[in-house]
Amino acid sequence: MLINVFELEKLSVREDFSYHRIIPSVPKTCWICLDIEEENEDPNLWVSPCKCTVGTRWVHQPCILVWISGMQDGDFCKVVRYPECRCRYHICSDCPAYLQFFRRIYHNISSFSSYVFYAGYAYSFLWSFGAISVLQVYGRTEGVNVLKNMRLVGIFGGLPFFSVLIGASHLINWEEPVSIFLRTYVPETRVLKDWMPLFKFRPKGKQEDQPLEKKFNLPLRLSSALVFPTVSVAFGNVFFKSVPRSLKRVVLGGLLYLFIKSSLKLILIQGEFIDRNSRKAQHRRRVIQL
């Protein structure tokens, strides 16, 4: 509600002893449901829990309780503030103080326990993934010997770190910068024009350069990281049979797989770029009947 400053003198004012301010006596309006105070309405239905003076000062008691419950989302210890004045809402109840204290302790312990459980589950998954990857790379017999000869630091720290390294490498979206680099310098280089004719395209008019993936697809990238050791072993056994050492064979297979995958991804990104910057609506062919 907007009030002209020059009209404040015409309004009756009263002092709010909670914040020692002079506020105009205007009809109360709930900022949640936008209902206005009616005559002969219970005054206990209205509450002014924040520092605002006009407009969003008043709110219905049931409305603010429902809003605070929705903001806390089951976490009754969460501090809720009003978005405008950033004033903290204080909720009082008839619950004894010792019960509220035990509720807070129980909530903190249960939250900490859930975090510890999730961290332990993630660590066990990373450790298992690292151990399985070692068995895939070296083979069953040699992989067991490698795990037996590892030190405790390598077993409990190296295997999870190897899993995190594989996952992090798949979370980096480096194809988009590479495609932009090729799109910029291939048309200007004579040798690259013949080898990469797809990147010779130059848009006419305003360039629309948007990424192929509008949203970060986390499940797809994590699944790609999970199958990476298996695919690397398969590529190494198929294309590099003559390599005697299993580790070198798997590394070469992984590099070949990344090269093929990245090349296909760059082709898809460039195809999306060409489609977005060359599309146009065609005239409809009209058949004239004589």
Side-chain angles (χ1 to χ4, degrees):
M1 180 180 297
L2 300 177
I3 300 177
N4 194 338
V5 178
F6 299 99
E7 294 181 356
L8 289 179
E9 298 179 357
K10 301 179 182 179
L11 299 175
S12 60
V13 296
R14 62 183 179 84
E15 184 177 1
D16 184 3
F17 294 95
S18 300
Y19 298 102
H20 303 284
R21 295 180 180 181
I22 303 298
I23 62 174
S25 121
V26 295
K28 299 177 182 177
T29 304
C30 178
W31 62 268
I32 296 179
C33 67
L34 302 180
D35 283 348
I36 302 176
E37 181 184 16
E38 299 179 356
E39 296 182 358
N40 301 325
E41 191 175 13
D42 185 7
N44 295 326
L45 185 64
W46 293 87
V47 64
S48 176
C50 65
K51 296 181 180 180
C52 296
T53 55
V54 292
T56 57
R57 169 184 173 84
W58 293 101
V59 66
H60 287 131
Q61 188 77 256
C63 294
I64 191 62
L65 292 178
V66 172
W67 185 81
I68 291 176
S69 299
M71 295 296 293
Q72 290 179 337
D73 194 18
D75 183 7
F76 72 96
C77 297
K78 181 179 179 180
V79 176
V80 179
R81 300 180 182 273
Y82 182 60
E84 296 294 334
C85 62
R86 305 302 300 169
C87 179
R88 178 180 176 179
Y89 286 131
H90 295 276
I91 306 299
C92 60
S93 65
D94 296 334
C95 182
Y98 69 91
L99 286 182
Q100 293 185 2
F101 174 76
F102 283 122
R103 285 182 63 196
R104 187 178 297 274
I105 294 297
Y106 173 78
H107 175 76
N108 293 334
I109 293 177
S110 59
S111 300
F112 178 76
S113 302
S114 61
Y115 293 147
V116 171
F117 173 78
Y118 291 141
Y121 179 79
Y123 176 82
S124 62
F125 173 78
L126 294 174
W127 186 90
S128 302
F129 179 74
I132 294 174
S133 300
V134 170
L135 295 177
Q136 287 181 331
V137 171
Y138 289 96
R140 181 177 180 181
T141 304
E142 188 178 356
V144 171
N145 295 329
V146 171
L147 292 176
K148 286 182 179 180
N149 296 328
M150 275 188 179
R151 298 181 180 181
L152 293 178
V153 177
I155 293 177
F156 295 103
L159 295 178
F161 177 76
F162 174 75
S163 304
V164 171
L165 187 63
I166 293 179
S169 63
H170 285 75
L171 294 179
I172 300 174
N173 186 16
W174 58 271
E175 292 90 351
E176 287 288 343
V178 171
S179 64
I180 295 175
F181 176 81
L182 295 176
R183 198 177 300 146
T184 304
Y185 292 100
V186 165
E188 300 177 358
T189 308
R190 182 177 301 178
V191 178
L192 296 178
K193 282 183 180 181
D194 300 332
W195 286 91
M196 301 178 181
L198 191 63
F199 290 89
K200 294 191 302 182
F201 172 78
R202 286 186 178 273
K204 297 179 181 179
K206 186 178 179 180
Q207 177 176 327
E208 184 181 352
D209 191 7
Q210 296 181 358
L212 179 62
E213 297 182 2
K214 296 181 180 180
K215 295 183 180 180
F216 187 77
N217 197 340
L218 182 61
L220 179 61
R221 292 183 174 269
L222 290 180
S223 60
S224 177
L226 291 177
V227 301
F228 177 72
T230 305
V231 176
S232 300
V233 172
F235 270 65
N237 294 331
V238 172
F239 298 101
F240 302 98
K241 290 183 179 180
S242 59
V243 178
R245 296 186 58 182
S246 59
L247 178 60
K248 187 176 181 180
R249 186 168 58 246
V250 172
V251 171
L252 292 176
L255 293 177
L256 179 62
Y257 167 69
L258 289 178
F259 175 76
I260 296 175
K261 176 186 174 183
S262 301
S263 301
L264 294 176
K265 187 65 176 296
L266 290 175
I267 292 174
L268 290 176
I269 293 175
Q270 183 63 14
E272 181 74 14
F273 175 77
I274 295 174
D275 179 70
R276 288 184 178 181
N277 290 276
S278 61
R279 61 173 58 184
K280 58 183 178 179
Q282 294 183 349
H283 291 284
R284 182 180 178 182
R285 296 182 179 179
R286 301 181 181 274
V287 179
I288 301 177
Q289 298 180 357
L290 299 177

